[in-house]
Amino acid sequence: MRLGVLDIGSNTVHLLLVDAFPGARPTAFASYKQQLSLVRYLDPRGAVTDEGRQALLSFVDEAVDFARRHRAEDLLAFCTSALREALNGPDIIRQVEQLSGVKLQELTGEEESAMTFFAARRWFGWGVRDLMVLDIGGGSFEVAIGRNEFPDLAVSMPLGAARLTKDFLPGDPPKEALVGRLREYIAGVIEEPLRQFADQVEPDLVVATSKTFRTLARMSGAASEADGPFLVRTLTLKDVRKWAEKLVSLSFDERAHLDGVSPIRAPQLLAGAVAAEMVMEKLEVKQVRICPWALREGLLMHRFDRLLRDHDVIDDEYAGVGDVDALKENLHLVPPAR
């Protein structure tokens, strides 16, 4: 079965199509994305501007057409913190549904964390007993831990790389004093949420997902993503600390010339490195293993599992992409982690 997931994130809007079969690893079929950083389209009140709204609506139309042309049989769509927290986010979500028939599911931070953990658990399997997952997005930073398919504890903090850059690090490059203010803010935010992890067992493996962690690993000598997903890639706290210090003096253009750094991600990289460093230090994590699967893959696999459970096989009556009622079907996500 060909499944699609449409991800309206803080940094990118991304449609991923995969082919899934019972008992087999899902394989990517096609991808369609745009670097539409919604955080950059927020006005001083925290509302998405008309320009940002039109860009998003246009992309959703193109993505639905792309999914239909490539014979996707099922499509789910979700949005994370940038749109969820925007002042006019609910209006935009309703407009997306009215114009395209796509029902955007609003994921809470805890649901994001749980589904990302689910993806990492499927990737690493049961050879790892207690698993911890760190994930930096554009708007939030999630941490989860557990020994089952879904975490025993999951938290979400407003420490996304794009959000922190916008709020704390203006300038190219920003002044060192601003980085100090950023560190003070992060220290205050992480204190209470991360204290909860002190009562958890020590994880057998700590993994990291998201573009920020993958980029920091690439800058630190890990293999390129073009070399495939099965190579072992790691990132140490020592290297994160080094880059958090070095990036302060680099312009956006200089950052964009580093291995694995794209121009759109370059401005956010310093904030992401500082957040990664401080969370890893607080959790006493010395090294993470990079996981190629994250939220999109978690949602796709959870959706496929439910379709198999509910139908055994997908019957001919399932209308697929283009059927508004089918697209409105609730995602039935797991409840927020305990």
Side-chain angles (χ1 to χ4, degrees):
M1 180 184 188
R2 183 158 296 155
L3 304 173
V5 58
L6 178 59
D7 172 4
I8 309 299
S10 300
N11 284 310
T12 61
V13 283
H14 188 173
L15 170 68
L16 175 65
L17 302 180
V18 304
D19 289 332
F21 305 92
R25 177 177 62 87
T27 56
F29 171 78
S31 177
Y32 181 69
K33 63 182 177 180
Q34 188 177 112
Q35 302 286 353
L36 178 72
S37 183
L38 280 176
V39 174
R40 296 164 60 185
Y41 285 102
L42 294 178
D43 66 20
R45 299 175 303 131
V48 177
T49 63
D50 287 341
E51 182 184 3
R53 181 197 298 257
Q54 291 305 317
L56 176 58
L57 291 172
S58 176
F59 176 83
V60 172
D61 280 341
E62 293 169 9
V64 171
D65 181 64
F66 183 91
R68 184 182 295 112
R69 285 188 289 106
H70 288 87
R71 302 182 182 278
E73 299 169 69
D74 184 77
L75 176 67
L76 61 89
F78 69 95
C79 57
T80 54
S81 60
L83 192 55
R84 183 178 66 230
E85 298 171 8
L87 183 64
N88 56 348
D91 291 336
I92 295 176
I93 290 170
R94 283 193 293 270
Q95 189 174 11
V96 166
E97 182 177 357
Q98 291 168 358
L99 295 180
S100 68
V102 172
K103 173 69 173 179
L104 282 180
Q105 305 292 330
E106 300 177 67
L107 301 185
T108 67
E110 288 75 17
E111 286 171 338
E112 286 186 53
S113 187
M115 297 310 294
T116 301
F117 183 93
F118 176 64
R121 170 60 78 187
R122 285 288 177 96
W123 181 266
F124 289 103
W126 299 111
V128 177
R129 185 174 65 169
D130 294 295
L131 178 68
M132 176 179 279
V133 179
L134 312 182
D135 179 59
I136 302 176
S140 59
F141 193 137
E142 279 79 44
V143 182
I145 191 171
R147 62 175 50 176
N148 297 311
E149 283 209 315
F150 293 100
D152 299 315
L153 173 64
V155 301
S156 179
M157 301 168 288
L159 300 176
R163 181 199 297 265
L164 294 179
T165 301
K166 180 176 180 292
D167 292 347
F168 290 92
L169 299 180
D172 178 13
K175 296 179 180 178
E176 289 192 36
L178 297 179
V179 180
R181 285 181 50 215
L182 173 62
R183 287 185 174 276
E184 291 175 4
Y185 172 76
I186 293 174
V189 169
I190 67 177
E191 182 64 31
E192 183 60 32
L194 296 190
R195 184 183 295 137
Q196 302 173 64
F197 289 86
D199 297 329
Q200 300 294 313
V201 298
E202 183 176 350
D204 298 293
L205 179 67
V206 182
V207 306
T209 69
S210 76
K211 188 66 174 179
T212 295
F213 275 116
R214 294 199 303 271
T215 300
L216 289 169
R218 179 74 179 113
M219 290 160 54
S220 302
S224 167
E225 292 181 35
D227 294 327
F230 299 109
L231 296 178
V232 174
R233 297 171 175 87
T234 59
L235 176 65
T236 66
L237 174 58
K238 181 180 178 181
D239 280 330
V240 174
R241 188 180 290 126
K242 177 190 74 175
W243 284 112
E245 180 179 344
K246 186 173 181 179
L247 287 166
V248 175
S249 61
L250 298 183
S251 69
F252 296 167
D253 184 64
E254 289 171 324
R255 296 178 196 176
H257 284 84
L258 298 171
D259 285 342
V261 181
S262 64
I264 194 169
R265 298 278 181 174
Q268 307 173 17
L269 196 52
L270 172 58
V274 172
E277 175 194 2
M278 296 187 68
V279 169
M280 289 175 70
E281 284 181 343
K282 189 70 175 178
L283 293 171
E284 299 182 354
V285 171
K286 302 301 181 186
Q287 178 175 280
V288 296
R289 176 96 171 261
I290 303 300
C291 179
W293 281 0
L295 179 58
R296 282 186 295 270
E297 288 80 7
L299 287 166
L300 279 168
M301 287 182 290
H302 184 266
R303 173 69 169 169
F304 186 59
D305 286 354
R306 191 169 71 81
L307 287 170
L308 289 178
R309 184 180 67 245
D310 290 351
H311 304 289
D312 290 333
V313 294
I314 307 303
D315 58 43
D316 292 337
E317 296 180 359
Y318 192 82
V321 176
D323 186 304
V324 174
D325 291 332
L327 292 171
K328 287 182 179 179
E329 184 177 0
N330 192 286
L331 210 61
H332 293 301
L333 292 172
V334 294
R338 298 186 300 276

